[in-house]
Amino acid sequence: MKLLDLQSQYAARSTDYEAALLRVARSGQFLDGSEGAALESQLEAYLGRATHAICCASGSDALVLALKASGVGAGDEVIVPAFTFAATAEAVVHVGARPVFADVEMDGLVSRATLEPCLSGSTKAVVMVSLFGQIPALETIGPWLESLGIVWIEDGAQSFGARRNGRLSTTFGLATTSFFPGKPLGAWGKGGAVFSANAEMALRLRALRNHGQVERGLHEEVGWNSRLDEMQAAILQIKLEEFPKELQERRQRAQLYCQALPDGVKLLRQNPENESSWSQLPVRVPHRDAVREHLRRQDIPTGIHYAIPLHHQPAFAAWRPEQALPVSELLAAEILSLPLHPWLSSEDVQKVCVELGRG
């Protein structure tokens, strides 16, 4: 059993993947070629809503580019959730701003109630993470922040393909995603994208990812070296073709888990407004480490996302809040990620749930 099965994903279309890599190799064009442009067009068609897709070298870079394009810099405060991956807060520090850590609700998402205590006169932006495939209430939080003159960004690294009230993640406003190999839509290396419905913002993002060049040799501002390479773009085109089918398969297996989880093991709260992309299958387990060891002995792989919330990470000690963030700390102590991918059998799901009950 595998936590993630990229080998089976490769085998399903191995001929196409190999042809794509050979096509790029023969072209001799490894950056700024037709593959990247084709992928961006494909992403825009998938998302609709006149969304511009600007691909870049990683999901982390996508966050930096979005913050820079929004004018965030030295002296600004940016609110981020405490319960998420470090990249969200790292991007804030990399543009010279100060991260302010907000607690989350029991679904792992920020809300207006968790954000309000973090606001100050220096708040420039809020980065809201769509965690484990679920999307915060962007349709209400976003306009509220805009009324206060605060920029907001959706970090959709874990939610590409998810929907909230029928609307796709990364289409609510300025947003980012990651093509890290472990994501539901993952490359064979690093990759990411920024999404915006604003044409002027899209032009600036395209310049920022390429050293601030609006045309070759003309640098209007200090930019970033963050272009997606052509081989990753070629692979992602094939993966995006398969993505709707694979997403449905993930949802079907998540539903099997929902029906079979034993007493005492709680699925992280799922919101009826959301149709998750299930980037992970997160459950809350008391005595998690002992349960995880029991599963390991049964050859069942698991993951922990995330054992240490950001406000307790040594890297962010300078910005540690005085107040406790109790929900982030509770989730960090209990969350366990179970195997989930399109090639996971129903028998595997049953085995995981049976052994969870025994652990």
Side-chain angles (χ1 to χ4, degrees):
M1 191 184 308
K2 297 178 180 178
L3 189 66
L4 175 69
D5 191 350
L6 296 180
Q7 291 91 344
S8 292
Q9 186 184 57
Y10 162 74
R13 291 193 63 175
S14 59
T15 301
D16 294 328
Y17 289 130
E18 291 165 9
L21 294 178
L22 186 58
R23 181 174 71 242
V24 174
R26 286 174 170 169
S27 76
Q29 182 80 42
F30 301 109
L31 285 172
D32 303 328
S34 60
E35 303 291 347
L39 174 62
E40 289 182 345
S41 295
Q42 194 176 353
L43 289 165
E44 290 167 359
Y46 176 81
L47 293 172
R49 290 184 173 270
T51 300
H52 300 274
I54 301 92
C55 289
C56 59
S58 71
S60 297
D61 280 6
L63 286 166
V64 169
L65 292 169
L67 288 165
K68 285 176 68 72
S70 298
V72 177
D76 294 329
E77 291 183 353
V78 180
I79 302 172
V80 301
F83 185 64
T84 189
F85 185 58
T88 309
E90 284 176 332
V92 174
V93 177
H94 284 315
V95 298
R98 171 188 173 90
V100 177
F101 296 107
D103 208 359
V104 295
E105 303 287 357
M106 290 304 295
D107 54 11
L109 306 174
V110 295
S111 66
R112 178 167 173 171
T114 67
L115 293 173
E116 279 187 308
C118 302
L119 295 173
S120 77
S122 298
T123 303
K124 175 74 172 185
V126 175
V127 181
M128 290 181 278
V129 176
S130 294
L131 192 73
F132 301 149
Q134 288 206 93
I135 308 169
L138 301 179
E139 74 282 0
T140 58
I141 300 174
W144 165 62
L145 291 171
E146 289 169 11
S147 74
L148 300 175
I150 296 172
V151 172
W152 62 276
I153 298 165
E154 180 194 1
D155 179 348
Q158 300 184 25
S159 62
F160 193 79
R163 293 179 183 269
R164 182 171 177 85
N165 296 320
R167 185 167 179 174
L168 282 164
S169 173
T170 72
T171 67
F172 289 80
L174 185 61
T176 66
T177 200
S178 168
F179 300 131
F180 176 77
K183 306 299 183 188
L185 180 62
W188 284 5
K190 297 195 303 177
V194 189
F195 304 101
S196 175
N198 184 301
E200 291 184 4
M201 173 67 80
L203 285 173
R204 187 175 183 202
L205 286 162
R206 293 185 191 284
L208 281 171
R209 72 175 174 184
N210 188 16
H211 303 284
Q213 294 182 95
V214 293
E215 58 183 71
R216 187 172 179 82
L218 177 59
H219 304 262
E220 289 201 342
E221 60 181 315
V222 175
W224 206 254
N225 181 12
S226 185
R227 290 163 289 170
L228 182 69
D229 74 69
E230 290 285 277
M231 286 193 174
Q232 301 302 338
I235 293 299
L236 283 165
Q237 288 176 65
I238 299 168
K239 288 203 173 187
L240 188 51
E241 291 174 1
E242 295 295 306
F243 183 64
K245 175 185 174 183
E246 291 187 8
L247 194 58
Q248 186 59 32
E249 297 282 351
R250 296 177 75 88
R251 287 172 174 152
Q252 288 174 359
R253 281 142 184 85
Q255 186 59 37
L256 291 176
Y257 272 115
C258 293
Q259 296 166 355
L261 285 173
D263 293 340
V265 177
K266 300 177 181 178
L267 186 69
L268 192 70
R269 192 179 78 196
Q270 301 294 300
N271 299 318
E273 299 89 352
N274 283 326
E275 185 179 12
S276 180
S277 60
W278 296 101
S279 58
Q280 283 86 30
L281 196 296
V283 294
R284 292 174 50 208
V285 184
H287 313 296
R288 177 189 61 203
D289 293 344
V291 172
R292 191 183 193 204
E293 175 59 21
H294 170 76
L295 294 177
R296 185 194 66 79
R297 291 196 299 267
Q298 308 306 315
D299 296 322
I300 297 173
T302 57
I304 297 180
H305 305 90
Y306 300 92
I308 304 174
L310 297 188
H311 64 298
H312 287 320
Q313 291 285 358
F316 304 115
W319 303 286
R320 185 170 297 161
E322 294 181 2
Q323 71 277 16
L325 303 178
V327 177
S328 295
E329 291 162 16
L330 172 66
L331 295 179
E334 293 188 348
I335 286 289
L336 186 67
S337 297
L338 304 179
L340 181 67
H341 53 78
W343 295 273
L344 191 71
S345 70
S346 58
E347 291 78 14
D348 285 339
V349 173
Q350 290 298 322
K351 177 182 178 180
V352 173
C353 292
V354 167
E355 295 302 335
L356 275 171
R358 293 172 176 170

